[in-house]
């Protein structure tokens, strides 16, 4: 996510704040959501197994939370049948009134690692604390494999696990073959944002000076100082935010610091 100076034709007339068409896949290549699985790509049975993988993943993540002094995640703390510290249980009429949930110990990683060991597609795969989505997928695949089932067990039969179906035969191949195209290049100067796929945020100017003056004038949405405008244009690219000794500020307001430090602009003598 950033601000980027592009060199485009002086007469380039693409609307401001509109994503460049070349970055967007044509609507004709977009498949429709599979109505059999509502876009999940899997059967309810596999979704329950994925839920087990998610819980195991969160138990692994809790090891880091324990180190940081954070409380147990509410989803785990409010489990209706959790393991508990029986020294903290308060009974009333045969019911547990209060209790403390026992948090996982580091050997939970050993168990999860054993599940994913032996995956021929990922022989070096290791469980990593904090990598929730990747761990969940690996654990789910491990559970399925340990059960002696094929890797595609539980995939939706209608969409073959894609979560979407083709509007016409060969549409998926067409969409996979599609490639984005860049805007035309030229002698003009223009500032773009890349927070979205990419769109222009200033008019095109025939000279560097024209763009600098625009960025430091009231015509720009958030006028920069002269130093900031020159630093941005000469750097050619700055991130959306920069952390400095003074705190976090928009990258385009770094007074040229980003250009000097990261891009070595102006060059050292």
């Amino acid at each position: 996510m950033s601000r980027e100076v592009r060199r485009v034709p002086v007469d380039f007339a693409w609307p401001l704040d509109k994503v460049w068409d070349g970055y967007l896949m044509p609507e004709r290549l977009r498949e429709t959501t599979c109505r059999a699985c509502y876009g999940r790509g899997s059967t309810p049975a596999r979704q329950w197994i994925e839920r087990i993988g998610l819980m195991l993943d969160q138990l692994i993540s809790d090891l880091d939370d324990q180190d940081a002094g954070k409380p147990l995640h509410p989803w785990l703390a409010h489990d209706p049948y959790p393991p508990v510290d029986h020294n903290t249980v308060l009974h009333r009429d045969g019911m547990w009134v209060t209790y403390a949930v026992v948090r996982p110990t580091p050997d939970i990683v050993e168990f999860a690692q054993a599940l994913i060991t032996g995956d021929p597609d990922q022989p070096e795969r290791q469980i990593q604390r904090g990598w929730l989505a990747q761990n969940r997928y690996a654990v789910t695949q491990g559970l399925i494999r340990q059960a002696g089932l094929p890797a595609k067990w539980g995939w939706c039969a209608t969409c073959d696990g894609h979560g979407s179906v083709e509007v016409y035969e060969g549409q998926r191949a067409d969409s996979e073959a599609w490639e984005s195209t860049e805007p035309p290049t030229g002698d003009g100067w223009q500032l773009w944002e890349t927070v979205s796929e990419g769109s222009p945020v200033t008019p095109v100017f025939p000279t560097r000076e024209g763009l600098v003056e625009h960025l430091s004038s009231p015509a720009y949405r958030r006028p920069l100082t002269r130093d900031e405008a020159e630093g941005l244009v000469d750097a050619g690219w700055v991130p959306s935010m920069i952390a400095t000794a003074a705190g976090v500020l928009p990258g385009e307001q770094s007074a040229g610091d980003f250009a000097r430090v990261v891009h070595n602009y102006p060059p050292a003598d």
Side-chain angles (χ1 to χ4, degrees):
M1 298 187 294
S2 64
R3 292 291 185 269
E4 181 177 331
V5 176
R6 300 279 182 90
R7 302 299 304 276
V8 297
V10 175
D11 60 354
F12 184 64
W14 188 257
L16 300 186
D17 302 312
K18 180 180 179 182
V19 174
W20 170 243
D21 263 0
Y23 294 150
L24 300 175
M25 180 181 290
E27 192 63 33
R28 63 180 176 79
L29 297 181
R30 299 188 184 279
E31 301 179 30
T32 59
T33 300
C34 176
R35 299 183 65 179
C37 65
Y38 298 98
R40 292 296 302 270
S42 56
T43 65
R46 185 182 175 107
Q47 291 167 31
W48 275 108
I49 299 303
E50 291 171 349
R51 195 67 171 170
I52 295 173
L54 173 60
M55 173 173 281
L56 184 55
D57 199 10
Q58 288 186 315
L59 290 169
I60 295 169
S61 180
D62 184 66
L63 298 176
D64 286 330
D65 290 342
Q66 292 180 51
D67 292 343
K70 297 179 180 180
L72 186 66
H73 190 283
W75 191 56
L76 299 174
H78 297 158
D79 187 283
Y81 301 105
V84 301
D85 178 356
H86 286 270
N87 293 318
T88 68
V89 175
L90 175 63
H91 292 268
R92 181 180 300 163
D93 297 329
M95 301 292 292
W96 288 359
V97 178
T98 62
Y99 56 88
V101 177
V102 175
R103 301 180 76 163
T105 48
D107 52 343
I108 193 71
V109 176
E110 180 183 4
F111 176 81
Q113 185 63 51
L115 278 177
I116 67 172
T117 298
D119 186 344
D121 295 325
Q122 297 179 316
E124 304 300 325
R125 179 73 168 87
Q126 296 289 318
I127 286 290
Q128 298 191 45
R129 288 160 60 171
W131 288 38
L132 291 175
Q134 293 187 31
N135 287 343
R136 178 174 55 185
Y137 175 79
V139 167
T140 299
Q141 289 299 102
L143 288 168
I144 292 171
R145 187 176 59 256
Q146 293 294 339
L149 296 169
K152 290 187 176 183
W153 173 84
W155 281 25
C156 174
T158 300
C159 65
D160 195 30
H162 290 282
S164 59
V165 294
E166 293 182 320
V167 176
Y168 63 88
E169 186 176 354
Q171 183 186 36
R172 185 166 298 138
D174 290 345
S175 64
E176 291 175 353
W178 177 85
E179 295 181 354
S180 63
T181 57
E182 295 292 329
T185 59
D187 296 329
W189 297 72
Q190 187 176 45
L191 187 67
W192 284 56
E193 60 79 21
T194 59
V195 176
S196 65
E197 287 82 355
S199 61
V201 295
T202 71
V204 181
F205 297 91
T207 64
R208 165 194 176 277
E209 181 63 21
L211 180 56
V212 169
E213 290 184 353
H214 176 81
L215 294 175
S216 55
S217 75
Y220 187 52
R221 63 189 69 189
R222 185 165 51 193
L224 308 178
T225 67
R226 177 77 187 189
D227 281 348
E228 290 168 349
E230 288 189 334
L232 168 56
V233 173
D234 291 328
W237 176 89
V238 293
S240 297
M241 294 291 176
I242 293 177
T244 69
V248 178
L249 72 158
E252 59 187 5
Q253 293 183 337
S254 62
D257 288 343
F258 187 83
R260 287 189 286 270
V261 174
V262 179
H263 291 281
N264 191 29
Y265 175 87
D269 294 334

